[in-house]
Amino acid sequence: LNEAPGGAALVVPRTVPSLCSKRVLVMDYLRGEPLSRLAERLPEGADLGPAGKALLAALTDAFGRCIFSTGFFHADPHPGNLFVLDDGRIGLIDFGQVKQISGKARCTLGKVMCALARRERSTEEPYGVLRDLEPLAELGDELGVVLRDGALRPEGPAAVSMWLFDDASEPLPGGFEQSELSPKAPAMSLKSFPQDLVFVARSSVLIKGLAARLGVKWSLASKWAPMAVEALDLND
């Protein structure tokens, strides 16, 4: 991540082999403040200006490239593992939990990003016209997402994808709502969700939650779709 193109805004501490042993791990010291501590001082919707968008861009770029290029990514992202460094860059620590998803799952997930980013909308269907929701339902099936009996189709599977990877202010089809606490949240319609993708979802929830906290419109699907096309050589 430190050497990757576009990764200059995100820093991963390196080990210091000469000081490490079987019981001791010594790494670079990142001088900064945990995002969790910074968030406590920020009011909801606080405008951080360019710094806020730089933080979102760094996280989106890092997780997107890891997920779609190798499938190997940090599986425990939370504000305590993210540092806002004194020089303005973002530090990512604690790689004690990582996950790798299969090439097939990466390819299907990449197609979900593309389908979300390219869907056509109308005044009557601001979440996407019906013919563009059908592929999202089929891709959800391919990933192993199963909804409860009686769930709307294709609106239900499409709403799950939008809820996870689209902007939090976007309307959802089928009467679903964005709020995680709402009984109409897409998660409430889930019967089972593939274990591999749970960790991808944790990354998306972190970034979407941060965007909402900063009051920034941010669609992971639109940011990750070009990365998926490049990394996985997806064709229309």
Side-chain angles (χ1 to χ4, degrees):
L1 285 174
N2 288 332
E3 289 86 5
L10 189 134
V11 180
V12 174
R14 303 172 190 271
T15 59
V16 184
S18 61
L19 300 178
C20 294
S21 68
K22 291 182 179 180
R23 296 188 176 183
V24 178
L25 175 63
V26 180
M27 306 180 75
D28 292 338
Y29 177 71
L30 300 185
R31 190 177 299 278
E33 184 175 23
L35 184 60
S36 55
R37 191 180 304 162
L38 181 63
E40 292 174 356
R41 304 200 309 268
L42 292 175
E44 194 79 19
D47 184 4
L48 295 183
K53 290 189 176 180
L55 171 60
L56 288 170
L59 293 175
T60 299
D61 181 75
F63 280 98
R65 283 189 287 105
C66 286
I67 290 168
F68 294 110
S69 295
T70 66
F72 194 69
F73 61 98
H74 193 301
D76 189 26
H78 60 74
N81 283 342
L82 293 166
F83 279 64
V84 178
L85 305 184
D86 291 350
D87 62 4
R89 294 181 297 170
I90 308 303
L92 181 61
I93 67 169
D94 192 1
F95 282 75
Q97 186 175 10
V98 295
K99 188 68 179 177
Q100 187 165 28
I101 58 176
S102 70
K104 185 178 185 299
R106 278 190 288 141
C107 186
T108 304
L109 189 61
K111 291 177 181 178
V112 170
M113 299 302 127
C114 293
L116 284 172
R118 297 170 181 170
R119 71 187 188 275
E120 182 182 340
R121 306 164 193 250
S122 67
T123 303
E124 296 76 20
E125 299 169 301
Y127 37 76
V129 297
L130 186 61
R131 68 173 178 274
D132 286 344
L133 302 187
E134 289 284 1
L136 286 169
E138 294 171 2
L139 290 168
D141 293 343
E142 193 173 327
L143 285 171
V145 177
V146 180
L147 273 62
R148 298 182 186 278
D149 293 341
L152 290 174
R153 185 180 176 90
E155 291 88 348
V160 171
S161 295
M162 294 176 196
W163 179 63
L164 285 173
F165 302 112
D166 221 346
D167 182 76
S169 66
E170 292 283 347
L172 299 178
F176 288 98
E177 297 178 356
Q178 287 279 3
S179 173
E180 296 178 24
L181 302 179
S182 170
K184 295 182 179 180
M188 297 298 182
S189 68
L190 287 173
K191 183 176 182 179
S192 65
F193 194 78
Q195 188 63 32
D196 283 358
L197 295 185
V198 167
F199 296 96
V200 175
R202 288 179 66 178
S203 302
S204 70
V205 168
L206 169 74
I207 298 171
K208 285 190 62 173
L210 181 58
R213 180 71 185 249
L214 296 175
V216 177
K217 287 182 67 67
W218 200 263
S219 168
L220 282 172
S222 64
K223 309 289 184 185
W224 281 353
M227 298 183 194
V229 169
E230 181 179 358
L232 302 169
D233 193 25
L234 298 179
N235 297 314
D236 291 338

